[in-house]
Amino acid sequence: MTTSTRPVPRATLLLAAALAACSSGVPDLPLGAQVVCSTTADCPSGTICQAVLGRCVSASVDDRQPPGLVPGSTSITPGVAGAGALVTVTFQVDEDLALDPEVRLDGAPSLLGTPRRSGRTYTVSFPAQVSDGEGTHNVVARLVDLAGNVAATVPVGSLVLDFTPPAATPPAVTPDFARAGATLQATVTFSE
């Protein structure tokens, strides 16, 4: 009996490895591993493609509830801000998120800032801008959880933007006439 050994081309080895990786006999992915996908056919067995995330998630997780905020965890400071004032929005979510929350004024296209995270608590700071318009604005967040559930406009709180300086009435001085050394009282009324 004669045996022949010939070198196996590298491309053949790579193809064999790729095919083996797609088979159902491959062990589960390591914890935290992420597989990018367009359809469930791109995912290992036991997972499905979550289009919102663009990655495979466990098919055994039956999470259909969108994420939300922990009641009482929200704050917006200051509550009334003038032009250029630094506003800080803080809130805690009720589950881990797959993506950073998108925080904006309701109806506005642009984000207010990049969130900073500490556990499940997020903080966004931004300067109040005249272009946002004067008045009361609702601050909302878009949240996406690990299963790909989306909460599009979660109310965080309200913020009043006030860019109008206060008006003052001319001072009313009493008494109308006074002698040198007399005490005068002046009253000025401001609009706010």
Side-chain angles (χ1 to χ4, degrees):
M1 174 171 168
T2 59
T3 57
S4 161
T5 57
R6 12 182 210 144
V8 178
R10 181 182 171 136
T12 304
L13 290 174
L14 289 174
L15 178 61
L19 290 173
C22 291
S23 73
S24 61
V26 174
D28 291 336
L29 293 171
L31 184 63
Q34 296 184 7
V35 177
V36 176
C37 64
S38 298
T39 68
T40 298
D42 298 333
C43 298
S45 67
T47 63
I48 58 172
C49 183
Q50 181 46 263
V52 171
L53 302 175
R55 66 178 174 84
C56 303
V57 297
S58 174
S60 65
V61 176
D62 189 19
D63 177 5
R64 297 181 191 165
Q65 186 69 29
L69 302 180
V70 172
S73 72
T74 63
S75 72
I76 299 175
T77 54
V80 178
L86 186 65
V87 178
T88 301
V89 177
T90 303
F91 56 88
Q92 183 179 3
V93 295
D94 59 6
E95 63 180 299
D96 292 333
L97 300 180
L99 307 169
D100 281 341
E102 297 175 353
V103 180
R104 60 177 36 96
L105 298 179
D106 196 14
S110 59
L111 301 179
L112 294 176
T114 303
R116 295 182 313 278
R117 178 179 169 230
S118 176
R120 289 184 176 173
T121 301
Y122 291 87
T123 303
V124 176
S125 296
F126 62 95
Q129 298 179 18
V130 174
S131 61
D132 291 326
E134 193 166 41
T136 301
H137 297 276
N138 292 320
V139 177
V140 296
R142 180 179 185 272
L143 309 175
V144 180
D145 69 12
L146 297 175
N149 298 308
V150 178
T153 54
V154 178
V156 177
S158 63
L159 168 67
V160 176
L161 297 179
D162 182 1
F163 306 125
T164 305
T169 61
V173 180
T174 57
D176 290 336
F177 298 99
R179 295 180 186 250
T183 301
L184 300 175
Q185 181 176 357
T187 303
V188 178
T189 303
F190 294 95
S191 62
E192 58 181 68

